[in-house]
Amino acid sequence: MESILPFWGHRSPVDALAFGPAGEVLYSSAPGEEVIAWNPHTGLPIRKYRGDIGDKITGLVIDPKARFVAVADRHKVTFWEPLSGNKLRSVELPPGERPGDKDEEITVVTGAGNPDFLLIGDNLGRLLVVDIEKGTSQKSYRTSLGPILSLASGNTWAVLSDKKTTMVIDLTRPSVPVPVLGVLDGLGIKDLAKFDDRVVGTDDENLLFWGPDFKDNARAIKSDGMGDLKVDEAMQRALSVNGSGGLDLWDLKKKKKLDTVYENTDIPWVVAIDPTGEFVASAEQNGIAIRKIDGGPIAFDLHNAIVPQFLMFEPGTHRFLTAGNDGRPVRYDLKRPTSIEPFVQMDGPIVDGALDVDANGFYASTTQGDVVVFDYAKGKIAHTLAPDVGPRPHIALGGSRIALVSERRGLVADGKGELVVWDLVKDDALGRLNVTDAIDVEFTAATSKVFYANKAASVESWSYDNQQRKQVYDSLNSKASRLRMAPGGTMMALCGDKGVSFFNLNLDILSGAKLPNAVEVAFAYDGTRAVAATADNGVYLIYFEGDQVRTEPVVTTPTPVMTLSISSDNRFLLVGESRGTVAIFDLSQKSTKPIGTLQILDDERWVTFDPKGSFVGVPRDEIRFDVQGEIVTAVGAGYEWKRASGEIYSIFR
């Protein structure tokens, strides 16, 4: 089991993790912050759920019917609608019933066997059954336990523990007197979960199995310390934290350990398991780590969830635009030591972008499937298109038309998406086409042809005016990840598992560069070369020499490359990395070192730049840098400058 996606997005340590019912979304929450929904396949945030969340998270519950996302703090449970992110309601913890009851607090929350109800445990030893739709407590079981620290539920029963004593309650009977089915003392239970008709738990050293009434003896499986526990009933697996900071994966049917992952640095304290059996997640000191159960690529970092998804130079200039999953497109100028003002902050991540220099427009697709049109000359949002194409579409611009393609139409990742051509003048669709496993789209302004690629490494052209189609399968790759059009629309490049293939617009294969696991490519404007990036962090120049190609390594980046762009004078190369940086290379120097780096991070992290004037980055609106030789001035409260090494300075708070 290999770590593939450690990423950051919360300012405070994550206290709760849970996968959605289909495994397509991972939810996380942190004290005093919002709930974030992540795509576990990409590490990108999908949506944020904002509300008055207290300073301690006591539970995160995802409705198996996808009706709500619920987070509990000390005093209330807040519910949101998953798709819109709208707050539905809050349920307050009722006061204690006995004289002397005070300072009641929620200590644990879990879903009930009946999905219309939620179970809450508190520090008074109460178990409350909450009707989710009504937002009220229907039953209150006042047990003899101390603060309830762990809780699990079947269809008719609940098992709860204050660590010293573990109790099973019959939920079908009246709450007074408390209908206790069984009690077991002195086990020091740390966590509880349900599996079939049994109860699974952890103590300091064991994974434990009981029947729900505790009449059959608990079976213990020895481990080197146990912590948080999550069960996937459908896959008959459990995930737990061991005493060495590793993650243990268990086969609950056979009652044996399947695998262990040891982390050398960050000790996980909260875990989640994907119901499809593909991923496990853990909250650690520096963020959230996603691991693929059956192996996967090397880990990469998404610092603070601000990752460049789109880079493009403006033709004829050294200005470029970058946009990422922080929803904040920004323009920069390599000739000046300042950035151009950022646009209005969007509510969600930017998936893909297209730049229309003539019309001063930037088109950005969102996770919800809309296209936001920016007037980047004025620095504001002009309007929004609603093409109804499905979530997270890729886009391409062709004159007054835009093409969009999605991998799916709804919430289910079935690969059945749609290709739409949109008239930007009439604000209406020119044509629609059902597609399967689409990954990218390209357009030419001169014709009605649209080109799209799918995961099986085929490229298809579609003329939306006469419905003519042509498809060709790549002879080099069996899997594809990216399709790119050369400036002027002379050729296309397809990135895949074996390298980069080049096609003309008739879909004839021209040549191919063997660069295993190519993930991105950008063309030079002079048509003599291209730049490609691979999954092992390599960046390569590809030279076109007749019907052959020649490759030359440029640099190996610290983290995987997300996007590339070459200036129209073929001099500068931009490399956007998953750690949140944009590195600038001068191709005329043939150097493996960047001339400058923009660090797209928050205002509590470091920013590095070249003080000689070639490049500078601005992390926040209120900060301005002025570079005059080696004189650096930072305007912003609490900021200082410090010389780190050579000509690199660091600005820190």
Side-chain angles (χ1 to χ4, degrees):
M1 194 161 39
E2 296 183 43
S3 175
I4 61 171
L5 289 173
F7 49 79
W8 285 256
H10 292 284
R11 296 177 298 278
S12 303
V14 171
D15 276 357
L17 286 173
F19 278 97
E24 285 294 303
V25 181
L26 174 68
Y27 298 89
S28 63
S29 60
E33 298 185 23
E34 62 271 333
V35 180
I36 300 179
W38 306 88
N39 182 335
H41 299 271
T42 64
L44 302 181
I46 301 170
R47 190 171 292 104
K48 292 186 177 182
Y49 305 89
R50 294 181 171 88
D52 182 20
I53 299 176
D55 61 356
K56 182 180 180 180
I57 303 297
T58 56
L60 171 62
V61 178
I62 311 302
D63 178 34
K65 296 182 179 180
R67 297 170 299 175
F68 65 81
V69 174
V71 167
D73 57 26
R74 296 176 191 264
H75 304 294
K76 65 183 180 304
V77 182
T78 305
F79 297 83
W80 291 269
E81 200 279 322
L83 289 180
S84 67
N86 295 330
K87 181 179 174 181
L88 297 174
R89 67 186 66 86
S90 289
V91 178
E92 300 284 340
L93 179 66
E97 306 89 351
R98 298 178 182 176
D101 284 346
K102 62 179 181 178
D103 300 328
E104 56 275 348
E105 292 184 359
I106 297 173
T107 52
V108 65
V109 172
T110 190
N114 183 338
D116 294 330
F117 294 90
L118 203 68
L119 300 184
I120 297 176
D122 72 4
N123 61 332
L124 303 178
R126 292 185 300 175
L127 175 67
L128 297 100
V129 181
V130 174
D131 187 312
I132 295 169
E133 188 65 32
K134 295 179 180 178
T136 57
S137 176
Q138 298 298 296
K139 286 184 179 181
S140 176
Y141 298 89
R142 184 63 180 259
T143 72
S144 58
L145 300 178
I148 298 173
L149 302 178
S150 53
L151 176 63
S153 172
N155 292 326
T156 61
W157 51 266
V159 57
L160 46 154
S161 177
D162 62 1
K163 197 170 183 179
K164 295 180 180 179
T165 303
T166 303
M167 178 182 295
V168 181
I169 292 176
D170 188 341
L171 297 177
T172 65
R173 293 164 57 186
S175 58
V176 180
V178 177
V180 178
L181 294 175
V183 174
L184 196 61
D185 293 320
L187 275 178
I189 295 297
K190 286 188 172 182
D191 206 355
L192 293 166
K194 170 186 171 291
F195 171 62
D196 289 341
D197 61 342
R198 306 180 67 84
V199 176
V200 184
T202 58
D203 62 14
D204 288 335
E205 297 181 343
N206 303 286
L207 183 68
L208 304 162
F209 297 83
W210 302 279
D213 57 2
F214 293 114
K215 290 182 179 178
D216 53 341
N217 294 328
R219 177 173 176 178
I221 303 177
K222 190 79 171 177
S223 182
D224 59 343
M226 302 290 286
D228 191 42
L229 173 71
K230 291 294 188 300
V231 166
D232 175 17
E233 291 193 81
M235 300 297 293
Q236 300 181 342
R237 289 175 173 179
L239 183 71
S240 65
V241 179
N242 64 37
S244 302
L247 302 181
D248 290 337
L249 188 66
W250 303 86
D251 185 323
L252 295 179
K253 201 70 174 179
K254 297 180 180 179
K255 297 182 175 62
K256 69 176 185 178
K257 188 186 298 184
L258 294 174
D259 192 11
T260 300
V261 177
Y262 289 97
E263 294 293 310
N264 295 323
T265 54
D266 298 335
I267 297 178
W269 56 81
V270 180
V271 294
I273 187 166
D274 169 19
T276 67
E278 186 174 3
F279 298 111
V280 296
S282 59
E284 302 173 6
Q285 181 177 353
N286 290 325
I288 304 166
I290 301 290
R291 294 173 177 85
K292 207 165 185 176
I293 292 177
D294 297 322
I298 302 301
F300 66 87
D301 297 338
L302 301 177
H303 292 271
N304 206 40
I306 303 176
V307 182
Q309 299 295 306
F310 172 84
L311 282 169
M312 180 171 283
F313 273 104
E314 298 175 19
T317 75
H318 287 151
R319 295 190 300 269
F320 69 92
L321 185 143
T322 178
N325 58 319
D326 63 336
R328 188 171 61 102
V330 186
R331 292 169 74 203
Y332 292 92
D333 193 337
L334 296 185
K335 292 295 186 181
R336 299 166 52 201
T338 56
S339 76
I340 301 174
E341 289 295 320
F343 293 125
V344 177
Q345 177 80 35
M346 291 173 58
D347 290 336
I350 291 173
V351 177
D352 199 2
L355 189 61
D356 182 359
V357 178
D358 295 334
N360 280 327
F362 169 62
Y363 298 81
S365 62
T366 69
T367 53
Q368 289 78 22
D370 296 331
V371 176
V372 178
V373 184
F374 295 92
D375 185 329
Y376 70 78
K378 297 180 180 179
K380 67 178 184 179
I381 295 176
H383 60 280
T384 300
L385 308 177
D388 187 28
V389 68
R392 303 185 59 81
H394 291 277
I395 63 177
L397 197 63
S400 61
R401 302 155 299 169
I402 190 169
L404 307 95
V405 70
S406 61
E407 292 186 27
R408 66 178 192 268
R409 287 285 300 159
L411 293 176
V412 180
D414 54 8
K416 297 178 180 179
E418 189 172 22
L419 172 62
V420 177
V421 178
W422 198 264
D423 190 314
L424 297 174
V425 177
K426 298 179 180 178
D427 197 16
D428 198 6
L430 294 172
R432 293 179 179 270
L433 179 69
N434 292 328
V435 296
T436 302
D437 291 332
I439 57 155
D440 214 342
V441 64
E442 284 294 350
F443 214 164
T444 58
T447 70
S448 63
K449 280 186 179 180
V450 183
F451 301 89
Y452 74 94
N454 68 19
K455 293 179 180 178
S458 76
V459 180
E460 183 168 342
S461 64
W462 173 55
S463 298
Y464 60 84
D465 54 356
N466 58 21
Q467 302 301 311
Q468 288 187 357
R469 300 170 66 177
K470 181 180 179 180
Q471 185 181 32
V472 62
Y473 281 87
D474 187 14
S475 59
L476 175 63
N477 295 294
S478 58
K479 298 178 182 179
S481 58
R482 189 77 76 189
L483 181 68
R484 288 288 184 255
M485 180 76 72
T490 56
M491 71 170 77
M492 294 178 294
L494 182 71
C495 296
D497 56 335
K498 299 295 191 298
V500 183
S501 293
F502 298 95
F503 300 77
N504 61 23
L505 299 193
N506 291 322
L507 298 188
D508 301 317
I509 299 176
L510 302 176
S511 58
K514 293 183 178 180
L515 296 170
N517 297 314
V519 294
E520 179 63 293
V521 65
F523 287 93
Y525 277 75
D526 60 7
T528 63
R529 55 188 169 170
V531 177
T534 58
D536 62 357
N537 307 356
V539 179
Y540 300 84
L541 276 168
I542 302 174
Y543 293 93
F544 303 120
E545 299 175 345
D547 58 353
Q548 302 294 317
V549 296
R550 176 173 57 88
T551 61
E552 180 181 297
V554 177
V555 68
T556 299
T557 59
T559 55
V561 175
M562 304 296 289
T563 180
L564 299 166
S565 184
I566 300 177
S567 61
S568 57
D569 62 359
N570 305 305
R571 179 181 175 185
F572 293 109
L573 167 66
L574 303 177
V575 179
E577 295 181 48
S578 63
R579 61 176 173 167
T581 63
V582 178
I584 298 92
F585 294 87
D586 189 337
L587 295 178
S588 66
Q589 297 180 2
K590 292 191 175 182
S591 172
T592 59
K593 294 183 179 180
I595 62 171
T597 302
L598 164 65
Q599 195 88 15
I600 311 178
L601 298 174
D602 62 28
D603 55 8
E604 294 181 355
R605 295 182 183 271
W606 293 68
V607 179
T608 59
F609 59 92
D610 180 353
K612 292 299 183 181
S614 59
F615 183 78
V616 66
V618 180
R620 282 287 185 264
D621 297 354
E622 68 270 20
I623 306 169
R624 297 290 181 269
F625 300 106
D626 179 25
V627 181
Q628 300 291 337
E630 293 189 355
I631 300 174
V632 180
T633 304
V635 180
Y639 284 82
E640 302 175 7
W641 67 271
K642 176 182 178 181
R643 185 163 187 155
S645 62
E647 294 183 349
I648 301 298
Y649 285 75
S650 295
I651 300 295
F652 64 96
R653 193 172 188 174

